[in-house]
């Protein structure tokens, strides 16, 4: 039993929290951090196991509703895997990819440095992340304690005694309800050589990258994480091969938009092996990766490399709790919940990645909040649906609603507004562009993005939207809400655009809205 | 009378249009370009004089409503000053400012080149713009002709015969209505030395910059254009002094947000002279700028420089038409219009910058459309109000609704949600961040932006929002529409955020929305 650190009476600034989290992570200290109100003798309405997106937001909501809540997390910070190993490093690497694509495109022109043949080191970027991530950790600890008034125990393993009782560092805590917000981790496939040095997942990359990778990166997987990290490796100047079991980037359903995204990646030198599967990773005498064998329709393809990145999906951190509590899991080991976030045991809830996809921030947070409402007696249901989505290539790719094909299956009179338009010059038009795309607009017009608005011509309602470029992603949060509420092209035409808009949806609609039977454009 | 070029029967690709516009601009050809349907014998419902934002959108809308419309423009392209001399170059220069700030911040670190002491040439960037701008011109000509079916005469001066008759290149055109969409141009103050070489406006900078500016830029004006170009000059490595008659950046009303924006500019080395006025520009024997004298409260300040940038506002291109038609102007020479866009002469309309501020794209376009509707018999009124706004520093700065002070004057129970929060570390927190801010988040947290949501705590309605960073601007288009329609923090809490959101408004609301009497954060 380690000596607990009680911080309830201490006001810790963000800077102090950063030192503290940093020190705890570096030293590997096992002292739990207790922030529990000694003057509140109410029973906890809930204990949230896990203080990531789902746990922290759910607990904050529950507390805001007047309940008493405790969060327990194994890490010395709240916020979970996102700022530590998942979304934040991915965004950092994607920013580097965008930045490096720009520098390579303008290599030796204007003020840009010569980038031809230059390989950028990955290790210092990973190290920058490792030293920088404690800032967001500190901010979330500060916000949770000083602004949200949350009670928590950090840097401690929770032991489940029963569905109402948790033990931490020798102390037992009772709660009316238990909320499992335990997250997920990357799946590691069972293939020969998977344990060799040089094989990484998104998680181990930021924790364990010790040698600078060589000049070839093999990425196993065709989904978001695979493409996002693959584009980063490519942008650093490495040969990068995406190995997709079926199709690469299948989540972007609109075929034309996907074709633009893939074409731009190919023009950056990315290679794609589709309908292909990792077969064996061969090592050298020192136990390091040497060659990867990929099974394709045309036979085995061998690629010499010392760097393999595995991104084939996520699995729930569910085994232990499921066993202890006797919870029902689905066939992929995600914890089964109903729309109230209840598991097979009435007072035990599960929220966030541990309940399965989509493994997105909004879904985790809203599930956490949904559980909180039900626990506090406000009946609430949630099931992620009709949400906007995004990923990074070297660009930001955002989408909502239906693809063109899906729309045509559902509606008789589909209209399309897009930039660039269909024209004999193909993509060689410097629009849409927008902020952070202006150099492309001027010098490499085909690289300045693609966007598309899909409309039911009869009702004039927007049914789908896609944008590839920069700066439009944030708008999709609001646009999706409007589309779900029946937004028409006439509504869009009436808005006040902030020119140069990365998404030209408002102005494209205004140019056409005067026509009752408006046409494609 | 020059030989007219008739293109009605020709299908011109975007690439062909680009060659054509380029050639016409370079040769200074005075041949007018006619795109008029010889098979349509209807009288024109309107002639739009000027094919910029107001004229082109108005004409497109009128045509979409079934009317017949002609656009006449003096340039060989549609789209007006925006892509030629105004918004597009400003956006290019602001992108360069953002990019250069990043490169200077990380100078010599990671893969970034050494930037300390390095001055970046402005002239090649201006030249890149001059060669690249014909791309957007070509796109708009193509869109106008092939997609919108518009009739137009380009590269021709229109002579007003009377309120129904326009003469171009010897031909006369009759129309039921005339719409003046003539735009505006930078004001040049009447001070000694204003004609010296080295004095520029935003317009002349892109047309006439022939020598590379020295190491000091003096910017006269404190408004959007002054700050935007000033930040660009600063980012190139030049000493840059903003000379504001009253306050710099007065349009950003929220004091705290403005303080952050100014602080970040000062940390980049920008200098501000407020309550200061250009007095004299002194030249050398060759007629080039040598010294600028500024009148301040503390006396005259002399600054040695060869480069003065004038950005003190815009004046309407109204003199000639007003005289010919006998139109009423306001005291600043903008054409007076009612809410139907009618001038003092019933069938003569005026739209866009020629009617005065705000000189923004949405206002010009919506005025053009408003005139079109009235001409086509659909009664319509428009007056720009409650619009979202933005400008660039080295960042994108977007805002809507009320400042905190304005909100407190109007509401008794104002709540604030912001990032970074008030804390003893000041701005040294790596949030909000978001896409294109991740390197700052990790290494220079105070540079990672600022944002604020202002709420009426009683109705829970959003009444103001500000964001300084990258990637949130596009969202303000939609957010403003929602706010005007009564958006509450509970509505925001229910949306699906795309993490990492540059604007954290949704999640900040969700963290607080559970509380009936929610607090600041």
């Amino acid at each position: 039993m380690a000596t607990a650190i009680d911080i309830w009476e201490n006001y810790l600034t963000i800077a102090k929290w950063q030192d503290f989290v940093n020190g705890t992570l570096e030293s590997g200290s096992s002292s739990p951090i207790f922030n529990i109100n000694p003057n509140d003798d109410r029973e906890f309405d809930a204990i949230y196991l896990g203080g990531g997106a789902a746990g922290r937001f759910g607990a904050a909501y529950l507390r805001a509703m007047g309940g008493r809540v405790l969060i327990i997390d194994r890490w010395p910070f709240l916020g979970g895997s996102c700022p530590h190993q998942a979304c934040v490093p991915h965004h950092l690497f994607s920013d580097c990819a965008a930045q490096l694509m720009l520098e390579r495109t303008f290599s030796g022109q204007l003020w840009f440095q010569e980038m031809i043949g230059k390989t950028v080191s990955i290790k210092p970027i990973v190290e920058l992340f490792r030293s920088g991530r404690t800032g967001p950790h500190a901010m979330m600890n500060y916000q949770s304690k000083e602004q949200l008034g949350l009670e928590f125990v950090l840097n401690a393993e929770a032991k489940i005694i029963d569905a109402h009782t948790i033990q931490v560092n020798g102390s037992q805590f009772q709660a009316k309800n238990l909320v499992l917000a335990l997250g997920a981790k990357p799946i590691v496939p069972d293939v020969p050589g998977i344990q060799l040095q040089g094989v990484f997942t998104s998680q181990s990359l930021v924790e364990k990258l010790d040698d600078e990778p060589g000049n070839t990166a093999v990425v196993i997987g065709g989904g978001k994480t695979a493409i996002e990290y693959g584009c980063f490796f490519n942008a650093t100047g490495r040969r990068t091969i995406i190995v997709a079991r079926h199709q690469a980037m299948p989540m972007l359903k609109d075929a034309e938009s996907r074709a633009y995204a893939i074409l731009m990646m190919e023009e950056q030198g990315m290679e794609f092996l589709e309908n292909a599967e990792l077969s064996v990773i061969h090592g050298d005498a020192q136990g390091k990766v040497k060659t990867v064998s990929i099974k394709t329709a045309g036979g085995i393809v061998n690629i010499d490399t010392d760097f393999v990145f595995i991104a084939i999906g996520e699995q729930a951190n569910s085994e232990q709790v499921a066993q202890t509590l006797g919870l029902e899991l689905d066939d992929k080991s995600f914890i089964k919940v109903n729309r109230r976030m209840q598991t097979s045991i009435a007072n035990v809830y599960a929220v966030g990645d541990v309940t399965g996809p989509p493994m997105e921030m909004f879904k985790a947070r809203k599930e956490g909040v949904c559980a909180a409402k039900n626990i506090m007696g406000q009946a609430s249901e949630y099931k992620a649906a009709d949400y906007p989505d995004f990923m990074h290539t070297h660009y930001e790719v955002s989408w909502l609603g239906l693809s063109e094909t899906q729309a045509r299956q559902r509606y008789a009179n589909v209209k399309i507004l897009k930039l660039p338009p269909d024209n004999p010059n193909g993509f060689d038009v410097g629009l849409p562009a927008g902020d952070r795309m202006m150099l492309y607009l001027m010098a490499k017009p085909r690289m300045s993005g693609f966007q598309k608005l899909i409309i039911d011509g009869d009702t004039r309602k927007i049914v789908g939207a896609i944008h590839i470029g920069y700066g439009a992603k944030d708008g999709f949060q609001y646009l999706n809400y409007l589309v779900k509420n029946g937004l028409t092209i006439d509504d869009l035409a009436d808005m006040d655009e902030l020119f140069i808009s990365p998404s030209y949806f408002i102005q494209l609609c205004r140019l056409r809205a005067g026509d009752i039977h408006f046409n494609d454009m």
Side-chain angles (χ1 to χ4, degrees), chain A:
Chain A
M1 215 175 79
T3 313
I5 302 165
D6 187 340
I7 61 164
W8 178 259
E9 297 291 343
N10 299 56
Y11 171 83
L12 294 175
T13 65
I14 296 175
K16 278 188 190 161
W17 265 122
Q18 187 163 7
D19 289 344
F20 183 68
V21 172
N22 220 4
T24 305
L25 287 171
E26 281 189 2
S27 69
S29 155
S30 60
S31 296
I33 301 153
F34 278 76
N35 183 55
I36 297 183
N37 184 354
N39 307 314
D40 194 336
D41 52 12
R42 292 178 296 166
E43 189 183 0
F44 288 109
D45 293 287
I47 294 174
Y48 277 74
L49 287 189
R56 195 174 82 98
F57 272 67
Y61 208 94
L62 194 152
R63 151 116 185 134
M65 289 177 86
R68 190 174 186 206
V69 62
L70 178 65
I71 302 173
I72 304 172
D73 200 286
R74 67 189 167 103
W75 275 322
F77 53 84
L78 293 158
S81 64
C82 162
H84 201 60
Q85 297 170 337
C87 350
V88 174
H90 138 216
H91 275 80
L92 173 66
F93 301 147
S94 293
D95 264 22
C96 292
Q99 175 67 20
L100 285 165
M101 179 171 76
L102 183 75
E103 292 195 35
R104 290 191 186 281
T105 303
F106 288 89
S107 171
Q109 296 170 62
L110 300 173
W111 70 87
F112 288 91
Q113 65 180 316
E114 192 63 62
M115 289 293 287
I116 294 163
K118 187 167 170 176
T119 304
V120 167
S121 298
I122 292 174
K123 231 176 128 238
I125 302 172
V126 168
E127 282 159 6
L128 175 70
F129 169 70
R130 272 204 293 257
S131 67
R133 65 182 170 184
T134 51
H137 294 340
M139 164 64 201
M140 276 185 267
N141 283 5
Y142 173 85
Q143 186 186 60
S144 301
K145 182 171 185 298
E146 305 303 334
Q147 296 189 297
L148 297 168
L150 288 169
E151 296 177 73
F152 50 77
V153 179
L154 300 180
N155 208 38
E157 290 293 338
K159 188 179 168 196
I160 298 174
I161 305 298
D162 62 41
H164 292 281
T165 316
I166 303 294
Q167 183 171 309
V168 187
N169 199 48
S171 305
Q172 287 201 357
F173 295 94
Q174 292 283 324
K176 295 177 192 160
N177 300 277
L178 196 56
V179 187
L180 306 171
L182 295 159
K185 58 176 176 284
I187 294 171
V188 177
D190 184 21
V191 297
I194 197 74
Q195 300 303 337
L196 289 165
Q197 267 184 61
V199 180
F200 294 94
T201 63
S202 58
Q203 201 178 68
S204 60
L205 184 79
V206 296
E207 298 299 345
K208 294 180 186 165
L209 183 72
D210 34 20
D211 290 326
E212 184 60 34
N215 59 11
T216 302
V218 176
V219 176
I220 309 301
K224 286 186 185 182
T225 305
I227 299 286
E228 287 165 343
Y229 282 73
C231 287
F232 169 58
F233 303 144
N234 160 269
T236 63
R238 289 171 171 80
R239 181 184 178 207
T240 301
I241 303 114
I242 301 283
V243 179
R245 186 186 284 252
H246 304 296
Q247 192 188 37
M249 212 174 165
M251 68 295 298
L252 183 57
K253 300 289 180 205
D254 187 73
E256 186 180 30
S257 305
R258 181 178 169 277
Y260 178 81
I262 297 274
L263 178 65
M264 289 303 107
M265 285 191 274
E266 285 175 341
E267 291 189 1
Q268 291 303 308
M270 300 266 291
E271 297 170 46
F272 294 89
L273 285 178
E274 296 188 325
N275 302 307
E277 211 172 330
L278 174 61
S279 172
V280 187
I281 309 173
H282 307 279
D284 64 13
Q286 286 73 44
K288 297 180 82 171
V289 173
K290 194 163 169 273
T291 306
V292 174
S293 296
I294 309 294
K295 206 165 87 188
T296 72
I300 293 287
V301 174
N302 291 309
I303 305 165
D304 288 343
T305 182
D306 65 353
F307 185 64
V308 180
F309 184 80
I310 307 283
I312 56 170
E314 301 269 320
Q315 62 187 351
N317 295 319
S318 59
E319 310 89 341
Q320 215 187 328
V321 293
Q323 217 170 7
T324 313
L325 290 168
L327 292 179
E328 275 182 44
L329 303 183
D330 74 10
D331 55 359
K332 288 185 170 166
S333 293
F334 294 112
I335 299 178
K336 272 182 151 175
V337 288
N338 62 19
R339 285 174 179 246
R340 302 183 63 171
M341 302 300 128
Q342 288 172 311
T343 66
S344 54
I345 300 173
N347 76 302
V348 179
Y349 293 76
V351 296
D353 289 354
V354 82
T355 72
M359 296 202 181
E360 298 293 347
M361 191 54 85
F362 72 88
K363 180 259 193 189
R365 289 167 167 175
K366 287 171 95 165
E367 287 191 348
V369 168
C370 179
K373 287 179 180 170
N374 286 312
I375 288 167
M376 293 303 291
Q378 182 183 317
S380 179
E381 297 199 341
Y382 177 68
K383 173 87 185 154
D386 301 331
Y387 52 87
D389 210 348
F390 84 100
M391 64 177 289
H392 289 92
T393 57
H394 302 79
Y395 298 94
E396 298 155 22
V397 185
S398 311
W399 64 94
L400 61 84
L402 306 176
S403 70
E404 182 175 343
T405 304
Q406 290 169 330
R408 290 195 189 284
Q409 284 162 355
R410 201 169 303 183
Y411 302 103
N413 180 27
V414 170
K415 302 291 184 186
I416 302 293
L417 302 181
K418 67 186 175 186
L419 279 176
D422 286 327
N423 84 94
N425 312 125
F427 290 120
D428 284 333
V429 173
L431 293 171
D435 293 297
R436 311 311 291 274
M437 300 292 278
M438 299 304 296
L439 284 161
Y440 294 125
L441 187 166
M442 292 300 151
K444 304 278 173 185
R446 65 192 281 100
M447 292 176 72
S448 74
F450 179 79
Q451 68 177 73
K452 192 165 172 178
L453 198 62
I454 300 159
I455 300 153
D456 170 21
D458 293 332
T459 60
R460 300 171 77 84
K461 284 183 182 168
I462 313 300
V463 299
I466 303 109
H467 179 272
I468 301 172
Y470 303 115
K473 190 184 99 183
D474 210 45
F476 271 65
Q477 303 176 134
Y478 310 118
L479 192 56
N480 188 64
Y481 177 85
L482 287 160
V483 166
K484 284 203 283 183
N485 285 290
L487 188 78
T488 66
I489 67 155
D490 307 290
D491 300 327
L492 265 177
D494 191 44
M495 291 186 191
D496 296 326
E497 65 271 35
L498 293 180
F499 203 71
I500 294 174
S501 333
S503 80
Y504 285 71
F505 295 138
I506 297 173
Q507 44 269 55
L508 287 175
C509 286
R510 187 175 297 131
L511 279 168
R512 277 303 192 207
D515 192 354
I516 299 167
H517 310 290
F518 73 102
N519 299 314
D520 291 348
M521 192 165 90

